[in-house]
Amino acid sequence: MQIFLNGKRAALLCIVALSWTILAARQTEPTHSLMPVPAQVRFTNGTFRLTESFTIVIRRTSTSRLEAGMQRALQRLAGRTGLFFSRPAVSQNQNADKPALSVMVKQPGEVKLGEDESYTLTVDARGILLAAQTDIGALRGVETLLQLLSADKDGYYFPCVRIVDEPRFPWRGLMIDAARHFMPVDVIKRNLDGMAAVKLNVLHWHLSDDQGFRVESIVYPKLHERGSDGMYYTQAQIREIVEYADERGIRVVPEFDVPGHTTALVYAYPELGSGPPPDGIERKWGVFDPVLNPANESTYEFLDRFIGEMATLFPDPYFHIGGDEVEHGGKVKHWDTNPEIQSFMKRNELENNKDLQRYFNERLLPIVKKHKRIMIGWDEILQDNMPKDIVIQSWRGRESMMQAARQGFQSILSSRYYIDLIQPTDYHYLNDSIPPDANFPPELQKMVLGGETTMWAEFVSWETVDSRIWPRTAAIAERFWSPQNVRDIDDMYRRLNVISLQLEEHGLTHEKNYEMMLRRLVNGNDVSALKTLVDVIEPVKGYNRNNLREHTSLSPLTRVIDAARPDARVARNFRTVVDRLLTNTPLDLQILAELRTQLTVWEQNHAVFEQLAERSPALREVLQLSDDLSAVARIGLAALSLVENEKQETDEWGKEQLELIKLARAPRGQVELMVLSAIEKLVYAASEVQPSGTKNK
Amino acid sequence: MQIFLNGKRAALLCIVALSWTILAARQTEPTHSLMPVPAQVRFTNGTFRLTESFTIVIRRTSTSRLEAGMQRALQRLAGRTGLFFSRPAVSQNQNADKPALSVMVKQPGEVKLGEDESYTLTVDARGILLAAQTDIGALRGVETLLQLLSADKDGYYFPCVRIVDEPRFPWRGLMIDAARHFMPVDVIKRNLDGMAAVKLNVLHWHLSDDQGFRVESIVYPKLHERGSDGMYYTQAQIREIVEYADERGIRVVPEFDVPGHTTALVYAYPELGSGPPPDGIERKWGVFDPVLNPANESTYEFLDRFIGEMATLFPDPYFHIGGDEVEHGGKVKHWDTNPEIQSFMKRNELENNKDLQRYFNERLLPIVKKHKRIMIGWDEILQDNMPKDIVIQSWRGRESMMQAARQGFQSILSSRYYIDLIQPTDYHYLNDSIPPDANFPPELQKMVLGGETTMWAEFVSWETVDSRIWPRTAAIAERFWSPQNVRDIDDMYRRLNVISLQLEEHGLTHEKNYEMMLRRLVNGNDVSALKTLVDVIEPVKGYNRNNLREHTSLSPLTRVIDAARPDARVARNFRTVVDRLLTNTPLDLQILAELRTQLTVWEQNHAVFEQLAERSPALREVLQLSDDLSAVARIGLAALSLVENEKQETDEWGKEQLELIKLARAPRGQVELMVLSAIEKLVYAASEVQPSGTKNK
């Protein structure tokens, strides 16, 4: 084997050194399968066994939120173990004899920013104690307990442990866009359950945009009647969801985007717009012209009455007014071309559109305040002379967030948490709201309330949205909750696999809709050849999907690209295993055999896939990609044999293979193969060609 | 091979002849993948190709129901094909040039019993014409069109066809029990979509029982406050569901069960009961003592006001009052032991409890009528002197339904449509509401309105209910809709496999929750050994589950038995293939090889399963069953070798094997192996032992 460790191999070691170091790293405290990792956790020897006589006793303060939460926890324990708990499970008997789980809460919590969510959890052989300042803290703690559930040949148990935990940030959010594609009530509810499971505490609900206005308004009924294609939340449903969230200790912050992103609004009430009335709600994706008219007093009357109505539905003190993307390429067409607005600007000495938006915001702010709400908006509402009691949600970069803090604004970070852009989990996971930057001292850090992951919905439906949110959002939730130094990617992925399956108990479909969508695509035929392919592909990243093929809100979201998931697990495993092969000395023959098996499956897959595509026309857009996978697998097999036999091909051979692999990089059907960089590494190892830097896919 | 056809083989042929005949039978008209099979269908040559320029034009009458229905249809077509339809899809342009699909409807339909649901559907190479008397008929027709969607190497198409269709029965229902386990709104909605897909038109909603009262009542708020553990439908949700059903041409018939099955009601309002107040809502399953007091005038005042309130929520003219199982073992404990009731009976010359229930019904009927509703109830409300304008739902047997008809009552049949009892699809499918019986002439047949399949919910949760309803209910829907002579079991199962996957597009979970539940059971480990086992097991039939292990409403429904599905497909296929092997001459060596592969997988499975169960305690209750499967697979392999080599073992050997197979018949964890009869057949074929009759499993 020694002969293999030539200069070539050393170079390779360099390439993969970083990821391997990360893979090898382990935290000093074991993280079990906990996600988010608690602030302090210390496992000790011993177990507490879960039996059918398990009971929960709520001591001291009880609230309906706490009782219902404990009932749900018990039901989930029964669900995971099949145990028939024998006694009425949750009780408030102060003198109960040795309950399995004692829950002690000092006072009822309030679902508000900054509420105490801390808890301590102690499992020893005699019982479990969950203590918290508030019932909300107890809900956070019981999720930790549920994640601790373990099994061995003697049955189910909790490991003995002492956990002291509290969140790093008070604002830990998930934004769901229900405007671009409507998300029915059950989608929101199951995602609230998922959020609670990973200790997120804000649902930011994007409820209006160019493509839809999704809330029933009694005061302005045309908003939902004309603005939604009949797909909107009734006020009863809004109340139902707010209550559902409250029961789980989750705030609901509604967003009604103004003055831009308002085609649906302006279609309903054209008199509030700045330009010609739209033909209908928008069907395409992008930034559009309709925009509220800041020079029209009716606009503020509308906002006053509308926000007043919404304030009766959404009790949270924060009210999100959007404010993003009013300017488009430096222009606001309907403002620039409206003479009344132009003369209004002159009269009021507003020099440009930014000034006009500031004017709008300055008029809007007292309206929001009048209804006892705190205004929050995207980056663009940040302007020097705005009062400091608004909150900025940074989407354009961490720099804008730091800028906000320096100017005295509180903020939350969403930049690099855009889960709609199909980035891998680690990309988001390593993105910290607080930059490790000397220019951002603690007093500024305090201005950062937390972060929000954003599920923009241009390309997701009720069928696929869960697969874009989960499991990646669980890792982001850890970033928001856990100590800053919890950053072990390999351990994160290990735990994420566990959590992902646990999240299914809430009805989330991120795992189970995968094969359902594949089944539909093969139209009754055997799914395996398709699955083999889709297991190693991902949708194109960023905004490329629409660049490659223009979609509308009516386009189907049932294609291969929609079945394909971010962070394709099989592809990621393959990349990891190739790295292991190439860094382990001596050569690990078992790994080599595994890789050969995998590559052989891919190589042979296309012949079957081709037949399948004959009967399933929807597959034809990835036919070339399937062929490409087989072709690169052949290259991988050749390289593997060379590596195995400790031989090296010429530089010419290597370059030829790399050219072939490069051809396979072209997306087809807006999806791409995620195993190419790993196969390139095999080619580097098998030939004299020199690596030209790492690649992402 | 001739030597094999001895007397032994001839006997075998006898055993399997029936099922084989059925398998071989084919209807004269091809049924494509249509379910229910239309009344008249004639395929012709040619196709109509589905392209991105596909449009739907509604000519003549349009209704919001029709438009929304066509929009949904188009969305489903896009979803199945991935096509980006280029034009605003559904329009009402009377003069539209050559639309792909023209929909012509004479008049708006009304969602009521007996509404015209007929349609004609003509597909030719130039276009598609869907014509119907009502928009509801058009909805039925478009479901047929969607089922016709086909694909070949040139893309998607509809085969040319002429269909003239109408239902056999006007009342085609699915009863969902939301009282035993609450079924959230989204469960009901997706099942309504499934119902519409197979042309069912009545949701019978069982909303109250001993274990829960599931509707918000403003007039009697304790009903839902005390009677539901907080799990009830708000009035807004009821209206939402009724509207959702109406949009799909489905009636909603609510059931509030009185005077028995009323523990939750009597717990909320003890003054209406006949005995001591219950401690709480009932947690166990069975028939219980609490019963309304027919001697108390307050009972009728309550019913009057309550039914009046419910009549504002449920517009359908039919109102189901339950009426079942008041007597239990010939007694009604709280009537028999209540002196006031006893003296009331004497005063009113009511001789027994049946008389008292008749008195109750006679008082109830004018109340129901006062609120402009027609009373419907279970078998037990059928008594000679009841007015003939009530409807009887027969659950105790077809005989009681025939009896009702003879006495002049209209009726619907539910006997043998109890899908909660886990019978195979063909058992329900061959059960016809109209008996092929000379004693039931056409004038009596007219009294039969149709049938209802009943999803009682003692042992289903929101996670599993779809897997008990679907796909079996699609076959029952065919029984209710299609001509009586459509009875080809093999063809039904072939089509059922297709329809089952199509039903997933509504979010139904009958397919996808299977592996989800297996994943949870293996707790992160490889699922395949568990799947191999559960693929060939079924829950015990009838009421045996609770007999074998007493459940309550708090027991987990996440065990192996809950993952296991009725009519286990792999087991059914195995039985069919064994039959084919044993009836085909000469011996089909390919079938033999397939069987050997399958049996070998089972034989080797237990070793892996055993390890899995070490880490997943929830699997231990079926550990013995897994061992049994391996053991019988070994017997099957031995028998298969004998058959292959045209040898026969002794009678003694055969009996020994049959004894071993018999041991494997014992249910474990309330599930049973469904391949034993087939392995017995192999033993018969491989030895001199004589078969002793067919068995079910």
Side-chain angles (χ1 to χ4, degrees):
Chain A
M1 284 295 173
Q2 280 309 98
I3 201 168
F4 190 77
L5 272 176
N6 51 18
K8 197 63 223 320
R9 180 70 189 275
L12 259 171
L13 276 169
C14 257
I15 300 173
V16 296
L18 181 69
S19 62
W20 184 238
T21 308
I22 291 163
L23 283 169
R26 279 286 170 275
Q27 292 175 237
T28 43
E29 286 285 358
T31 53
H32 199 269
S33 298
L34 298 176
M35 181 172 277
V37 168
Q40 297 175 42
V41 49
R42 183 174 304 274
F43 286 95
T44 54
N45 288 330
T47 61
F48 179 82
R49 292 275 156 191
L50 186 65
T51 67
E52 301 207 324
S53 61
F54 186 83
T55 51
I56 301 178
V57 171
I58 296 172
R59 300 190 189 274
R60 300 173 63 167
T61 311
S62 187
T63 65
S64 64
R65 185 190 292 128
L66 187 61
E67 267 173 65
M70 292 301 146
Q71 287 287 8
R72 287 195 305 274
L74 198 79
Q75 212 167 7
R76 286 158 68 193
L77 277 180
R80 291 188 200 170
T81 60
L83 292 172
F84 284 42
F85 295 122
S86 51
R87 285 185 270 175
V90 179
S91 68
Q92 294 173 53
N93 183 349
Q94 303 301 318
N95 308 311
D97 193 31
K98 289 194 197 164
L101 168 60
S102 295
V103 183
M104 296 183 70
V105 160
K106 283 220 177 110
Q107 66 202 48
E110 219 182 300
V111 179
K112 64 175 185 197
L113 180 67
E115 180 55 292
D116 193 315
E117 298 175 274
S118 68
Y119 67 93
T120 62
L121 179 65
T122 312
V123 180
D124 68 31
R126 292 155 307 165
I128 305 167
L129 177 66
L130 171 60
Q133 197 67 25
T134 67
D135 52 357
I136 296 170
L139 292 186
R140 305 292 176 249
V142 84
E143 294 293 343
T144 305
L145 180 66
L146 284 166
Q147 291 183 355
L148 287 169
L149 181 69
S150 307
D152 63 15
K153 63 182 177 38
D154 297 322
Y156 293 96
Y157 68 90
F158 298 104
C160 290
V161 71
R162 165 85 178 153
I163 289 172
V164 180
D165 200 10
E166 64 177 347
R168 181 171 165 224
F169 293 108
W171 187 307
R172 306 179 306 279
L174 164 64
M175 190 213 78
I176 296 182
D177 170 8
R180 268 58 174 264
H181 280 98
F182 183 63
M183 298 295 158
V185 170
D186 59 304
V187 173
I188 305 297
K189 283 186 174 177
R190 69 190 183 220
N191 276 287
L192 284 165
D193 281 308
M195 290 171 68
V198 296
K199 304 183 172 57
L200 290 174
N201 66 359
V202 181
L203 170 67
H204 167 179
W205 206 357
H206 185 79
L207 286 164
S208 75
D209 215 300
D210 297 300
Q211 296 82 3
F213 204 100
R214 304 301 183 187
V215 174
E216 177 188 31
S217 170
I218 312 294
V219 182
Y220 293 101
K222 281 192 257 174
L223 289 174
H224 65 277
E225 286 167 9
R226 287 171 63 89
S228 75
D229 292 323
M231 284 179 288
Y232 60 89
Y233 304 103
T234 65
Q235 297 206 346
Q237 288 173 328
I238 297 281
R239 289 199 180 88
E240 186 181 330
I241 285 172
V242 168
E243 188 187 323
Y244 196 89
D246 185 282
E247 286 243 308
R248 283 146 186 84
I250 296 175
R251 300 163 47 212
V252 178
V253 176
E255 176 184 352
F256 297 95
D257 206 342
V258 287
H261 285 283
T262 42
T263 308
L265 196 169
V266 174
Y267 175 61
Y269 293 96
E271 62 274 25
L272 302 176
S274 306
D279 293 339
I281 62 178
E282 184 56 55
R283 303 293 175 195
K284 294 189 174 180
W285 309 125
V287 178
F288 301 95
D289 296 332
V291 59
L292 296 186
N293 185 345
N296 181 354
E297 280 307 305
S298 309
T299 299
Y300 306 104
E301 282 161 36
F302 163 82
L303 289 167
D304 186 13
R305 292 186 65 198
F306 175 73
I307 293 174
E309 184 184 17
M310 292 302 111
T312 66
L313 293 177
F314 297 98
D316 197 82
Y318 289 81
F319 194 91
H320 203 301
I321 58 90
D324 56 321
E325 296 182 318
V326 179
E327 282 191 325
H328 186 40
K331 299 198 181 302
V332 183
K333 188 174 158 194
H334 287 189
W335 285 353
D336 298 340
T337 56
N338 182 323
E340 278 176 39
I341 291 175
Q342 290 305 313
S343 70
F344 175 85
M345 287 171 73
K346 283 204 190 91
R347 269 201 316 281
N348 290 276
E349 296 178 358
L350 302 167
E351 288 190 8
N352 53 31
N353 288 324
K354 280 199 178 54
D355 281 354
L356 184 56
Q357 189 179 358
R358 180 182 43 73
Y359 170 85
F360 174 81
N361 285 335
E362 283 167 356
R363 293 290 307 271
L364 179 55
L365 182 59
I367 294 171
V368 173
K369 282 185 177 172
K370 173 183 161 192
H371 297 293
K372 301 197 172 39
R373 294 295 182 271
I374 300 164
M375 188 161 116
I376 171 168
W378 300 100
D379 270 351
E380 288 92 329
I381 71 163
L382 169 63
Q383 285 181 300
D384 253 344
N385 34 12
M386 283 298 284
K388 303 302 182 216
D389 53 358
I390 63 172
V391 176
I392 307 298
Q393 180 164 17
S394 285
W395 68 280
R396 290 186 301 191
R398 196 157 59 186
E399 189 46 52
S400 79
M401 187 205 71
M402 290 163 70
Q403 187 58 32
R406 288 190 197 103
Q407 289 179 246
F409 294 97
Q410 289 192 310
S411 66
I412 54 177
L413 185 67
S414 277
S415 163
R416 292 186 164 239
Y417 296 133
Y418 270 40
I419 48 177
D420 60 319
L421 304 185
I422 319 287
Q423 302 290 351
T425 310
D426 51 52
Y427 168 88
H428 302 297
Y429 183 66
L430 294 180
N431 179 43
D432 201 296
S433 294
I434 304 280
D437 187 328
N439 292 326
F440 203 65
E443 63 272 22
L444 290 184
Q445 292 179 16
K446 279 187 310 192
M447 304 301 284
V448 179
L449 298 174
E452 272 188 11
T453 174
T454 53
M455 183 66 255
W456 297 108
E458 285 91 341
F459 304 109
V460 290
S461 71
W462 60 278
E463 274 186 342
T464 61
V465 65
D466 295 357
S467 74
R468 274 48 180 160
I469 299 177
W470 306 107
R472 290 181 301 159
T473 291
I476 303 173
E478 177 160 289
R479 177 61 43 236
F480 299 158
W481 176 284
S482 301
Q484 188 162 18
N485 64 356
V486 176
R487 300 173 65 81
D488 179 336
I489 288 180
D490 200 38
D491 192 52
M492 176 274 286
Y493 275 121
R494 176 186 66 76
R495 288 176 291 124
L496 197 63
N497 287 343
V498 178
I499 298 299
S500 187
L501 298 186
Q502 282 174 10
L503 286 166
E504 290 198 271
E505 74 192 351
H506 306 294
L508 288 164
T509 61
H510 56 296
E511 295 281 355
K512 65 191 179 186
N513 275 10
Y514 179 53
E515 294 212 20
M516 181 277 287
M517 296 185 76
L518 299 184
R519 278 194 291 273
R520 178 167 47 202
L521 282 164
V522 297
N523 192 23
N525 294 300
D526 184 354
V527 85
S528 43
L530 177 61
K531 184 168 186 302
T532 297
L533 176 64
V534 185
D535 273 351
V536 294
I537 65 181
E538 291 176 13
V540 290
K541 312 298 177 293
Y543 297 99
N544 279 330
R545 178 174 181 158
N546 214 44
N547 297 339
L548 291 169
R549 181 170 188 181
E550 193 180 31
H551 288 60
T552 71
S553 56
L554 305 170
S555 304
L557 296 170
T558 53
R559 295 158 57 223
V560 171
I561 184 175
D562 302 295
R565 294 179 293 182
D567 228 344
R569 208 172 296 166
V570 174
R572 178 159 49 75
N573 288 347
F574 179 76
R575 297 193 301 264
T576 307
V577 172
V578 166
D579 285 345
R580 286 210 182 133
L581 178 81
L582 298 178
T583 47
N584 279 8
T585 311
L587 204 62
D588 187 325
L589 294 176
Q590 196 187 332
I591 287 186
L592 194 128
E594 274 174 28
L595 287 174
R596 173 165 292 131
T597 305
Q598 178 64 82
L599 287 163
T600 307
V601 167
W602 292 338
E603 197 220 346
Q604 294 171 355
N605 195 60
H606 183 59
V608 186
F609 188 87
E610 223 172 353
Q611 291 176 1
L612 195 58
E614 286 271 302
R615 284 164 291 172
S616 300
L619 300 187
R620 283 179 210 160
E621 59 181 348
V622 294
L623 198 54
Q624 181 60 51
L625 207 72
S626 166
D627 200 4
D628 291 346
L629 178 62
S630 289
V632 299
R634 258 189 303 281
I635 295 172
L637 284 168
L640 208 59
S641 288
L642 291 161
V643 169
E644 184 178 18
N645 298 314
E646 296 169 21
K647 288 195 180 137
Q648 274 206 321
E649 262 287 2
T650 60
D651 178 77
E652 193 189 351
W653 179 88
K655 283 185 175 144
E656 206 175 297
Q657 310 312 310
L658 293 175
E659 274 308 306
L660 290 170
I661 294 172
K662 202 172 158 189
L663 290 176
R665 285 196 178 275
R668 314 281 174 177
Q670 305 102 62
V671 296
E672 49 189 2
L673 290 170
M674 299 307 292
V675 294
L676 302 181
S677 64
I679 292 174
E680 281 174 354
K681 285 179 189 172
L682 291 173
V683 170
Y684 292 135
S687 72
E688 288 165 1
V689 71
Q690 290 300 317
S692 58
T694 50
K695 292 203 182 62
N696 281 331
K697 62 173 182 175
Chain B
M1 284 293 173
Q2 279 310 97
I3 202 168
F4 189 77
L5 273 177
N6 52 16
K8 197 62 224 319
R9 180 71 190 274
L12 260 173
L13 277 170
C14 257
I15 298 171
V16 295
L18 182 68
S19 61
W20 185 237
T21 308
I22 291 165
L23 283 170
R26 279 286 170 273
Q27 291 176 239
T28 42
E29 285 285 356
T31 52
H32 197 269
S33 298
L34 299 175
M35 181 172 277
V37 167
Q40 297 174 44
V41 47
R42 182 173 304 274
F43 287 95
T44 54
N45 288 330
T47 61
F48 178 82
R49 292 276 156 191
L50 186 65
T51 68
E52 301 207 324
S53 62
F54 186 84
T55 52
I56 302 178
V57 171
I58 296 172
R59 302 192 187 272
R60 300 173 66 165
T61 311
S62 187
T63 65
S64 64
R65 185 190 291 128
L66 186 61
E67 268 173 66
M70 292 301 146
Q71 287 287 9
R72 289 196 305 274
L74 198 79
Q75 212 168 8
R76 287 158 69 193
L77 277 180
R80 291 188 201 172
T81 61
L83 292 172
F84 284 41
F85 295 122
S86 51
R87 285 185 268 175
V90 178
S91 68
Q92 295 172 51
N93 183 349
Q94 303 300 320
N95 308 312
D97 193 33
K98 287 193 198 165
L101 168 60
S102 296
V103 183
M104 298 183 70
V105 159
K106 284 222 176 109
Q107 67 203 45
E110 218 183 300
V111 179
K112 65 176 186 195
L113 181 67
E115 180 56 291
D116 193 315
E117 297 174 275
S118 68
Y119 67 93
T120 63
L121 179 66
T122 312
V123 180
D124 66 33
R126 293 156 305 164
I128 306 167
L129 177 66
L130 172 60
Q133 196 68 26
T134 68
D135 52 356
I136 298 170
L139 292 186
R140 306 291 176 249
V142 84
E143 294 294 344
T144 304
L145 179 67
L146 283 166
Q147 290 184 354
L148 286 170
L149 181 69
S150 307
D152 62 17
K153 64 182 175 40
D154 297 321
Y156 293 96
Y157 69 90
F158 297 104
C160 290
V161 71
R162 165 85 180 153
I163 290 172
V164 180
D165 200 11
E166 64 176 348
R168 181 171 166 224
F169 293 108
W171 187 307
R172 305 178 307 279
L174 164 65
M175 189 212 79
I176 296 181
D177 170 8
R180 269 57 175 264
H181 280 96
F182 183 63
M183 297 296 157
V185 171
D186 59 305
V187 173
I188 304 296
K189 282 186 174 176
R190 69 190 185 222
N191 276 288
L192 284 166
D193 280 308
M195 289 171 69
V198 296
K199 302 182 172 60
L200 290 174
N201 67 357
V202 181
L203 170 66
H204 167 180
W205 206 358
H206 186 78
L207 286 164
S208 76
D209 215 301
D210 297 301
Q211 295 83 4
F213 203 99
R214 304 300 183 187
V215 175
E216 177 189 30
S217 170
I218 313 293
V219 183
Y220 292 100
K222 282 192 255 175
L223 288 174
H224 65 278
E225 285 167 9
R226 288 171 62 89
S228 75
D229 292 322
M231 286 179 287
Y232 60 89
Y233 304 102
T234 64
Q235 296 206 345
Q237 289 173 328
I238 296 281
R239 288 200 181 89
E240 187 182 328
I241 285 172
V242 168
E243 189 187 322
Y244 196 90
D246 185 281
E247 286 242 308
R248 284 147 186 83
I250 296 174
R251 300 162 48 211
V252 178
V253 176
E255 176 184 353
F256 297 95
D257 206 343
V258 286
H261 285 283
T262 44
T263 307
L265 195 168
V266 174
Y267 175 60
Y269 293 96
E271 61 273 27
L272 302 176
S274 307
D279 292 339
I281 62 178
E282 185 57 54
R283 302 295 175 193
K284 295 189 175 180
W285 308 125
V287 178
F288 301 95
D289 296 332
V291 58
L292 296 186
N293 185 346
N296 181 353
E297 279 308 304
S298 310
T299 299
Y300 304 104
E301 282 161 36
F302 163 83
L303 288 167
D304 185 14
R305 292 187 64 198
F306 176 73
I307 293 173
E309 184 185 17
M310 292 302 111
T312 66
L313 293 176
F314 297 98
D316 197 82
Y318 288 80
F319 194 93
H320 203 301
I321 57 89
D324 56 319
E325 297 182 318
V326 179
E327 283 191 325
H328 187 41
K331 297 198 182 304
V332 183
K333 188 174 157 194
H334 288 189
W335 285 354
D336 297 340
T337 57
N338 181 323
E340 278 176 38
I341 290 176
Q342 290 306 312
S343 71
F344 176 85
M345 287 171 73
K346 283 205 189 89
R347 270 201 316 280
N348 290 275
E349 296 177 357
L350 303 166
E351 286 191 10
N352 53 34
N353 289 324
K354 280 198 177 57
D355 281 354
L356 183 57
Q357 189 178 358
R358 179 182 46 71
Y359 170 86
F360 173 81
N361 286 335
E362 283 168 354
R363 293 290 306 271
L364 178 55
L365 182 59
I367 294 171
V368 173
K369 283 185 177 171
K370 172 183 160 192
H371 297 293
K372 303 198 171 36
R373 294 295 182 272
I374 300 164
M375 187 162 119
I376 169 168
W378 299 101
D379 271 350
E380 288 92 329
I381 70 164
L382 169 63
Q383 286 182 297
D384 254 343
N385 35 12
M386 283 298 283
K388 304 302 182 217
D389 54 359
I390 64 172
V391 175
I392 306 300
Q393 180 165 17
S394 284
W395 67 281
R396 290 186 301 192
R398 196 156 61 187
E399 189 46 52
S400 80
M401 189 205 69
M402 291 165 70
Q403 186 58 31
R406 287 191 197 102
Q407 288 178 250
F409 294 98
Q410 290 191 312
S411 66
I412 55 177
L413 185 66
S414 278
S415 162
R416 292 186 161 237
Y417 295 132
Y418 270 40
I419 48 178
D420 60 318
L421 303 185
I422 319 286
Q423 301 289 352
T425 310
D426 53 56
Y427 168 88
H428 301 299
Y429 184 65
L430 294 179
N431 179 43
D432 201 297
S433 294
I434 304 281
D437 188 327
N439 292 326
F440 202 64
E443 64 271 21
L444 289 185
Q445 292 179 16
K446 281 188 307 191
M447 306 299 285
V448 179
L449 298 174
E452 272 188 12
T453 173
T454 53
M455 184 66 255
W456 297 108
E458 284 92 340
F459 304 109
V460 290
S461 71
W462 59 278
E463 275 186 342
T464 60
V465 64
D466 295 357
S467 74
R468 273 49 181 161
I469 298 177
W470 307 105
R472 290 181 300 160
T473 291
I476 303 174
E478 176 159 289
R479 177 62 43 238
F480 298 159
W481 176 283
S482 301
Q484 188 162 19
N485 64 357
V486 176
R487 301 174 64 81
D488 179 337
I489 289 180
D490 200 38
D491 191 53
M492 176 274 286
Y493 274 121
R494 176 185 66 76
R495 290 176 290 126
L496 196 63
N497 287 343
V498 178
I499 298 298
S500 187
L501 298 186
Q502 283 174 8
L503 286 166
E504 290 197 271
E505 74 192 349
H506 306 294
L508 288 164
T509 62
H510 56 296
E511 295 281 355
K512 65 190 179 186
N513 275 10
Y514 179 53
E515 294 212 21
M516 181 276 287
M517 297 186 76
L518 299 183
R519 279 194 290 274
R520 177 167 49 202
L521 282 164
V522 298
N523 194 22
N525 294 299
D526 184 357
V527 82
S528 44
L530 177 60
K531 184 167 186 303
T532 298
L533 176 65
V534 184
D535 273 352
V536 293
I537 64 180
E538 292 176 11
V540 291
K541 310 299 178 291
Y543 297 99
N544 278 331
R545 178 173 181 159
N546 213 43
N547 296 340
L548 291 168
R549 180 171 187 180
E550 192 180 31
H551 288 60
T552 72
S553 55
L554 305 170
S555 304
L557 296 170
T558 53
R559 295 159 57 223
V560 171
I561 183 175
D562 302 296
R565 294 179 292 184
D567 228 342
R569 210 172 293 166
V570 174
R572 179 160 49 74
N573 288 346
F574 179 76
R575 298 193 301 265
T576 307
V577 172
V578 166
D579 285 346
R580 285 210 183 133
L581 178 83
L582 298 178
T583 47
N584 279 8
T585 311
L587 205 60
D588 186 325
L589 293 178
Q590 196 188 333
I591 287 185
L592 193 126
E594 275 173 28
L595 287 173
R596 174 166 290 132
T597 305
Q598 178 64 82
L599 287 163
T600 307
V601 168
W602 292 339
E603 198 219 348
Q604 293 170 356
N605 194 60
H606 183 59
V608 186
F609 188 86
E610 222 172 355
Q611 290 175 1
L612 195 59
E614 287 272 302
R615 286 164 290 170
S616 300
L619 301 186
R620 283 181 209 157
E621 58 182 347
V622 293
L623 199 55
Q624 181 60 52
L625 207 71
S626 166
D627 201 4
D628 291 346
L629 177 63
S630 289
V632 299
R634 258 189 302 281
I635 295 172
L637 284 168
L640 209 59
S641 289
L642 290 162
V643 169
E644 184 179 18
N645 297 313
E646 296 168 22
K647 289 194 177 138
Q648 276 207 319
E649 264 285 2
T650 59
D651 179 76
E652 193 188 352
W653 180 88
K655 282 185 176 146
E656 207 175 295
Q657 310 311 311
L658 293 175
E659 274 308 306
L660 290 170
I661 295 171
K662 202 170 160 191
L663 290 177
R665 287 197 176 273
R668 313 281 175 179
Q670 305 101 63
V671 295
E672 49 190 2
L673 290 170
M674 298 308 293
V675 295
L676 302 181
S677 64
I679 293 175
E680 282 175 352
K681 285 178 188 172
L682 291 173
V683 171
Y684 292 135
S687 72
E688 288 166 358
V689 71
Q690 291 299 317
S692 59
T694 50
K695 290 201 183 66
N696 282 329
K697 62 171 182 175

